[in-house]
Amino acid sequence: MAAMSLQLTVVSLFLLGGVLTFPLGQESCHPTKPDMLNVHLVPHTHDDVGWLKTVDQYFYGDRNDIQHAGVQYILDSVVDQLLKNPDRRFIYVETAFFYRWWRQQSSSMQQTVKQLVNEGRLEFVNGGWCMSDEATTHYSAVIDQMTMGLRFLNETFGPCGRPRVAWHIDPFGHAREHASMFAQMGYDGFFFGRLDYQDRARRMMYREQELLWRASDSLTPPMADLFTGILPNGYNPPEGFCWDQSCDDAPIRDDPDLEDYNVDDVVKRFLAIAEGQSAVYKTNHIIMTMGSDFQYENANLWYKNLDKLIHYVNAQQANGIKVNVLYSTPSCYLQELHRTNLTWALKNDDFFPYADDAHDFWTGYFTSRPALKRYERISNSNLQVMCNQLEVLGGPVSRRGPFGVGDSKTMKEAMAVAQHHDAVSGTEKQHVANDYARRLANGWQHCQVLVSNSLAGLSGSTAERIYCDNLNISVCPLTESSKKFSVNVYNPLARPVTWPVRLPVNGTAYVVSDANGKSVDSQVVPVSPATREVRRSRGFAVNELVFQVQAPPLGYTTYSVSLVITYEHFLQVTFDPDTGLLSSLSNLETKQTIKLTQNFYWYNASDGNNVESIQPSGAYIFRPNSSTPFVISKTAKTESIQTPAVQEVRQWFSPWVSQVVRLYADSRALELEWTVGPVPIDDDLGKEVITRLDTSIQTAQYFYTDSNGREVLQRKTDFRPTWNLKQSEPIAGNYYPINSRAFIKDDDDQLTVVTDRSQGGGSINNGSLEIMLHRRLLYDDVRGVAEPLNETSGIFPKGLVVRGRLLLSLDRPASAADAHRPLAQEVVLQSGLLDARMTGVCGLPLSAALPPAVHLLTLSQWDKDSVLLRLEHQFQSWESKVNSQPVTVNLQKLFTTLDVLGVSELNLSANQWKDEMKRFSWTPESGTAHLHLSVPSLQHIRT
């Protein structure tokens, strides 16, 4: 076919893969009455994909001593009850559980369920593998887990299985980027249950609990517009109307001959609740969620009483009561709202931070379980970098080759589960966190076989490959014990990348050469004492070999190392000789200098010890008992190492806090490698550990954080864009999720901090930016997990030790994004590194590097003959004079190793053809309705 070029719109996503679907018809919705208040009852269950029990324990109903919950029994019971009355409805959300249940059913039962879906009696909402967290997830992983769940529904149920509504009833705050993604996936609306108590009070007063969310400042409206509804009771039923086996509410007793007849009372109470709810919503339609956590295990209890409730309330219409109650679903409810043709309040920011009371800010989980958060981020990189890309480039041999049978499916499922709002969020019990980590490790083992097969096919070498998974603590058995070895490096980005490699060794001098035999400058530096302490007996290297490697776009190369130079520096750092702390940072290219002091502190966590009125800090909630943190040390003991390749200042603040300030040659970022732990609790005080950067930048209370690693939002201390905030927690109430970066700026300078995992932070004082690194708490925060956040293990019996990196860049504000956008992608999709017994060759699957504005988001095998490709414009419309402009990419000429036979555009989640995706059009209060344009596309490449 002729070469085909596509115009990339700013911050739009262009993807490939998927199957044809069509919108579900509305004939399954029960009729409503225009002259009455229509009460839509939505039977549902909320099934956490891990929380107090593991995924397996929840599915099978195991460990009911922890929590009585068995998902397989819920689905068994619901299907049985739906068949008994065609009026009944039910919605289901978590595809991870439904997929398991479906595989266990007989073909006849599967046909029965398909009929229920086709008739609209069983409706899927959201449809992702899980209900993802919105603060601590990266957008690339969210897209993957949504695609996995929606693909299963698409291929199993066809058009009627495609969800039209996004449903995030439990996450603890809501990200603008999630709303943008849902809009680009084709959803007509979005419903959630949690928002700040002050925000809810104002919205109830002005009847703005249903609104139009404009979820991008770069995409042309209504491309990222999403109708959003806030549910009235979180996701629970109205008080007094819970009829699950886990509830204590009285059933409807409708035999008038019995003494305890209560129909009149039930109807009266229900009508009062409906009237009260209608007063704070905008239309003559209201929604009630009839269900909660792991309910409907005995669905007969619910449906028998709901049938009666509908019958007896509607019977009052004959007496002039204008209330109509019906079984419904979120999509049917949304359809009725759309038919009203009203205008809706417009929102442009997000729903962070979330507080459910004056001193109860859910900002602690932004940092909870920092080691799991980092492992999830590394696993995402391994999946995208190693598994997905090399499976495509290696072809069929990658899945079955000289190293055995490999697959990426196990890793994809583990990563999908890890996006759950009680997984990467760090709000699960300890044994559940261990299970998430085990799943990720198991998935990586399957991927390693695939990667080895792929590299063998690409290089022609079947040499054994050793994967160094513990380089962060300087452990790699091969490099520690070998006099000669080779290093394969793989670049997952669609542009050339140079980055430093640090390998644990025991020699003092090495010769390093690239794939062409050219000598590469290298240095040997001693392993830091903090590293030796952390790794204990797992490694014995005394030194680290440091050298810079280069790899082509989407390609690999090999470096040879044997036992037996000019660099340019762009940054300059100064230290106070009296304190050992940082004192300034300079960009030598732009001739910028700022005052910069960095230190470590801890907040004393409120514990609520024997005081019921005090809200303690816990896995969810951050509640310091003072606005002034304790400094760990006002001075740092230092040690300097300077070589042409790298300069280091090693700082010791206390026996449990240390840091290496590191500046690589040719790098435009300053690396702060921190090590924190075990956090001491001998004083019986829970501690929330932060690092704080104090600068001379005049921020005027403004700072900036990213949304799920993608677009950046402006923040202001003690301020909310949509209501007049009454600040009751000056620290926790100013914390926001930092997924990949945060920055502060004035007219002249911008300091950007790129993180290696999701963390919480804020700018409490002018010119300051603080980031929480670690938390060790002694009390539960009474939000359900029933366990203090106190991580210990066999490796760290005295408490968890965590290591991480912050990358600092100093730039002019007008050009800062040109540096921090690609830097953040390099950190998220870290280049693959493994050691081999013999030298390989260089691969060049891309014909040329992609333009700087374009990021290769996904390259994954879709089926035997198709590949899923996602390209994204990674710059916001306002942040770069150079890179915020539209870019054209020629897909026909993009790859050298793939013959592009055809391209088909789909939506972001790969479950609808782009040109057939239609969404409801909504009118904001300040404007008019727009005709819906197609959303960013997804390309389906046949090879």
Side-chain angles (χ1 to χ4, degrees), residues 644-664:
V646 63
Q647 300 180 43
E648 294 183 357
V649 173
R650 297 173 174 181
Q651 300 172 305
W652 289 268
F653 295 85
S654 77
W656 56 281
V657 176
S658 63
Q659 179 173 262
V660 178
V661 181
R662 189 175 287 131
L663 184 59
Y664 289 102

Side-chain angles (χ1 to χ4, degrees), residues 439-510:
R439 290 173 182 275
L440 293 172
N442 184 48
W444 176 226
Q445 288 178 350
H446 283 77
C447 274
Q448 286 179 354
V449 177
L450 184 150
V451 171
S452 295
N453 286 338
S454 181
L455 290 177
L458 291 169
S459 68
S461 168
T462 58
E464 178 186 6
R465 286 170 170 81
I466 309 297
Y467 297 83
C468 296
D469 294 329
N470 295 301
L471 289 177
N472 66 319
I473 55 172
S474 298
V475 173
C476 182
L478 177 63
T479 62
E480 293 176 52
S481 59
S482 300
K483 295 181 179 179
K484 185 176 182 180
F485 55 90
S486 63
V487 180
N488 292 141
V489 292
Y490 177 74
N491 174 19
L493 300 175
R495 55 185 171 81
V497 174
T498 299
W499 72 96
V501 168
R502 304 178 70 91
L503 299 175
V505 294
N506 283 295
T508 57
Y510 290 83

Side-chain angles (χ1 to χ4, degrees), residues 75 100 171 192 274 292 300 323 443 455 567 601 666 748 796 877 927:
L75 292 168
R100 288 185 179 204
F192 64 74
S292 192
N300 179 55
V323 174
L455 290 177
Y567 290 93
Y601 307 81
D666 300 325
D748 299 317
F796 299 116
S877 59

Side-chain angles (χ1 to χ4, degrees), residues 485-547:
F485 55 90
S486 63
V487 180
N488 292 141
V489 292
Y490 177 74
N491 174 19
L493 300 175
R495 55 185 171 81
V497 174
T498 299
W499 72 96
V501 168
R502 304 178 70 91
L503 299 175
V505 294
N506 283 295
T508 57
Y510 290 83
V511 175
V512 180
S513 56
D514 64 18
N516 297 318
K518 182 180 177 181
S519 178
V520 176
D521 293 324
S522 63
Q523 303 292 330
V524 174
V525 298
V527 170
S528 70
T531 296
R532 292 197 294 268
E533 173 63 25
V534 169
R535 73 187 180 192
R536 305 286 173 86
S537 61
R538 287 177 288 170
F540 58 90
V542 296
N543 295 320
E544 287 183 315
L545 174 65
V546 182
F547 59 97

Side-chain angles (χ1 to χ4, degrees), residues 571 596 668-670 672 693 751-753 806-810:
L571 298 179
L596 171 64
R668 289 173 170 81
L670 178 69
L672 307 180
L693 304 164
L751 178 69
T752 304
V753 180
L806 302 175
L807 299 179
L808 278 58
S809 61
L810 175 64

